[in-house]
């Protein structure tokens, strides 16, 4: 505890998300998801290797096609104390990046060893709100009732609220119920980590509630952020088919259980770093200016509740001397389709 109080690991962790962002942003709009993933993973892995922790990846991407990702069980860091769980998503919103669209980010989190919920498979139905509405949500209640409670807790009207969700056919009924309740809707094409963070922030982000079904690993990353920001999330597994159901049950998961922030992130020492890859509402994307690049990051720490925004300028020549071509992505590779 003393060591973690002395060290803000979110600042150190931001080097890993910056590295992933710098490498991945080089292939923005080139419609090469594999190249983007490879670049981000290589750069993040390299940056994590110098972090003075004994880290074990518990939330990663697993094996994603031909691209070797940061895998569950992989050890990262120098091996020195503290012993920590590591959750990473080198690119949340890889299709956004591949198509040159806004909102792609790189995100990573650290927490005490054996405190993060570990799952790689499946989807979760989620509802996320900020601190003022933390006690108001009940994922088993009707959508209209949840929105009424949230509005009451916020001292607002339901039609003041903006609900964000992924634009998916599975959400047709949810969209209908939110509209009938009177709230506004913001549909996103991919990546619900950044909107989940925005829903929990006290600042006026334009997003009040995250609802709907998204990835289960992303739920753990959102929970880590909520440990720092306050707010609340409730979620439950949403197996896509019988095979998903059988695998989740074999892993020992209770599919009827309602999971909260404390279920997904039990620790009290949590650090989160997020760096923008493409321009988004939460963070600006990477900017390249000759021999330099600029990144914008958000860092959070649970013990103090401290939140920092940081803009950094990177000397690409010096980075190349230190890290070789890892932060350059595949900018010199000719891609043919």
């Amino acid at each position: 505890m003393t060591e973690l109080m002395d060290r803000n690991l979110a600042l150190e962790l931001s080097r890993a998300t910056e590295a992933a962002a710098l490498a991945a942003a080089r292939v923005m709009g080139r419609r090469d998801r594999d190249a983007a993933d490879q670049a981000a993973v290589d750069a993040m892995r390299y940056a994590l290797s110098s972090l003075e922790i004994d880290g074990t990846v518990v939330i990663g991407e697993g094996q994603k096609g031909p691209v070797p990702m940061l895998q569950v069980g992989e050890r990262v860091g120098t091996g020195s104390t503290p012993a920590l769980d590591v959750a990473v998503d080198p690119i949340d919103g890889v299709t956004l990046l591949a198509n040159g669209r806004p909102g792609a980010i790189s995100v990573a989190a650290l927490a005490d060893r054996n405190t993060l919920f570990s799952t790689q498979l499946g989807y979760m139905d989620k509802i996320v709100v900020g601190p003022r509405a933390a006690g108001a949500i009940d994922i088993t209640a009707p959508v209209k009732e949840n929105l009424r409670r949230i509005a009451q807790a916020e001292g607002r009207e339901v039609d003041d609220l903006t609900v964000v969700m992924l634009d998916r056919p599975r959400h047709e009924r949810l969209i209908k119920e939110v509209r009938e309740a009177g709230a506004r809707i913001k549909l996103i094409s991919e990546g619900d980590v950044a909107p989940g963070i925005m829903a929990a922030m006290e600042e006026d982000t334009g997003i009040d509630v995250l609802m709907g079904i998204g990835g289960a690993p992303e739920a753990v990353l959102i929970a880590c952020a909520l440990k720092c920001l306050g707010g609340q999330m409730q979620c439950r597994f949403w197996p896509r088919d019988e095979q998903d159901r059988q695998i989740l049950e074999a892993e020992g998961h209770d599919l009827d259980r309602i999971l909260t922030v404390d279920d997904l992130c039990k620790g009290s020492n949590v650090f989160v770093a997020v760096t923008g890859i493409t321009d988004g509402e939460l963070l600006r994307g990477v900017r390249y200016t000759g021999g330099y690049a600029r990144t914008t990051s958000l860092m959070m720490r649970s013990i103090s509740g401290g939140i920092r925004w940081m803009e950094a300028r990177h000397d690409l020549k010096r980075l190349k001397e230190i890290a070789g071509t890892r932060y350059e992505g595949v900018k010199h590779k000719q891609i043919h389709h």
Side-chain angles (χ1 to χ4, degrees), residues 37-179:
D37 276 330
Q38 183 72 74
V41 169
D42 287 349
M44 179 173 278
R45 179 180 281 121
Y46 176 76
L48 287 173
S49 70
S50 64
L51 202 62
E52 292 188 4
I53 62 169
D54 176 11
T56 301
V57 176
V58 297
I59 293 293
E61 291 290 335
Q63 191 70 22
K64 198 173 188 179
V67 181
M69 308 303 287
L70 279 155
Q71 298 184 37
V72 173
E74 183 171 340
R75 301 296 290 273
V76 296
T78 62
S80 61
T81 57
L84 299 171
D85 285 350
V86 182
V88 299
D89 195 345
I91 308 175
D92 184 47
V94 66
T95 301
L96 299 175
L97 172 63
N99 291 322
R101 294 175 180 164
I105 62 171
S106 180
V107 57
L110 303 173
D112 294 315
R113 177 64 51 84
N114 299 322
T115 61
L116 291 186
F117 190 89
S118 181
T119 179
Q120 296 306 303
L121 178 70
Y123 289 77
M124 284 184 176
D125 187 12
K126 311 165 191 172
I127 179 169
V128 180
V129 294
R132 289 191 296 272
I137 59 174
D138 178 0
I139 200 168
T140 65
V143 169
K144 184 175 183 179
E145 177 63 16
N146 268 307
L147 293 175
R148 185 193 66 78
R149 293 178 185 178
I150 293 166
Q152 184 177 40
E154 296 271 0
R156 301 157 70 185
E157 300 296 328
V158 171
D159 60 6
D160 295 333
L161 301 178
T162 299
V163 181
V164 65
M165 67 186 75
L166 289 164
D167 188 4
R168 300 287 187 273
R170 62 179 178 258
H171 287 152
E172 287 183 7
R173 180 176 176 181
L174 175 60
I175 291 170
K176 181 175 183 290
E177 291 178 350
V178 172
R179 285 173 176 163

Side-chain angles (χ1 to χ4, degrees), residues 142-328:
V143 169
K144 184 175 183 179
E145 177 63 16
N146 268 307
L147 293 175
R148 185 193 66 78
R149 293 178 185 178
I150 293 166
Q152 184 177 40
E154 296 271 0
R156 301 157 70 185
E157 300 296 328
V158 171
D159 60 6
D160 295 333
L161 301 178
T162 299
V163 181
V164 65
M165 67 186 75
L166 289 164
D167 188 4
R168 300 287 187 273
R170 62 179 178 258
H171 287 152
E172 287 183 7
R173 180 176 176 181
L174 175 60
I175 291 170
K176 181 175 183 290
E177 291 178 350
V178 172
R179 285 173 176 163
E180 289 175 349
R184 304 193 304 165
I185 298 173
K186 182 179 181 67
L187 295 174
I188 56 174
S189 62
E190 191 185 2
D192 63 356
V193 175
I197 291 172
M198 293 171 70
M201 297 181 80
E202 295 281 12
E203 290 79 6
D204 182 10
T205 64
I207 294 174
D208 304 298
V209 191
L210 171 72
M211 284 185 169
I213 298 157
E218 286 79 2
V220 178
L221 285 162
I222 294 171
C224 290
L226 291 174
K227 271 295 179 87
C228 304
L229 295 168
Q232 184 55 278
M233 173 170 61
Q234 291 183 0
C235 53
R236 53 192 171 187
F237 276 107
W238 189 80
R240 293 170 296 178
D241 50 34
E242 185 58 30
Q243 183 180 6
D244 271 9
R245 180 178 294 277
Q246 290 176 2
I247 293 173
L248 290 166
E249 289 177 345
E251 290 179 349
H253 297 302
D254 180 357
L255 302 189
D256 295 322
R257 182 183 177 192
I258 305 303
L259 299 166
T260 67
V261 170
D262 289 332
D263 294 315
L264 300 179
C265 181
K266 298 177 183 177
S268 58
N269 302 310
V270 184
F271 305 88
V272 180
V274 188
T275 300
I277 304 176
T278 60
D279 283 347
E281 295 180 79
L282 178 63
L283 294 164
R284 290 185 69 185
V286 178
R287 296 285 198 279
Y288 296 102
T289 54
Y292 298 90
R294 291 186 181 274
T295 56
T296 306
S297 300
L298 172 65
M299 293 152 289
M300 296 172 269
R301 183 186 191 193
S302 64
I303 292 176
S304 63
I307 304 170
R308 289 178 169 86
W309 283 263
M310 178 175 72
E311 183 169 316
R313 191 187 77 163
H314 307 269
D315 186 315
L316 298 177
K317 181 180 179 181
R318 296 187 188 186
L319 277 179
K320 187 173 182 179
E321 291 172 354
I322 296 169
T325 59
R326 290 181 180 89
Y327 293 5
E328 294 185 359

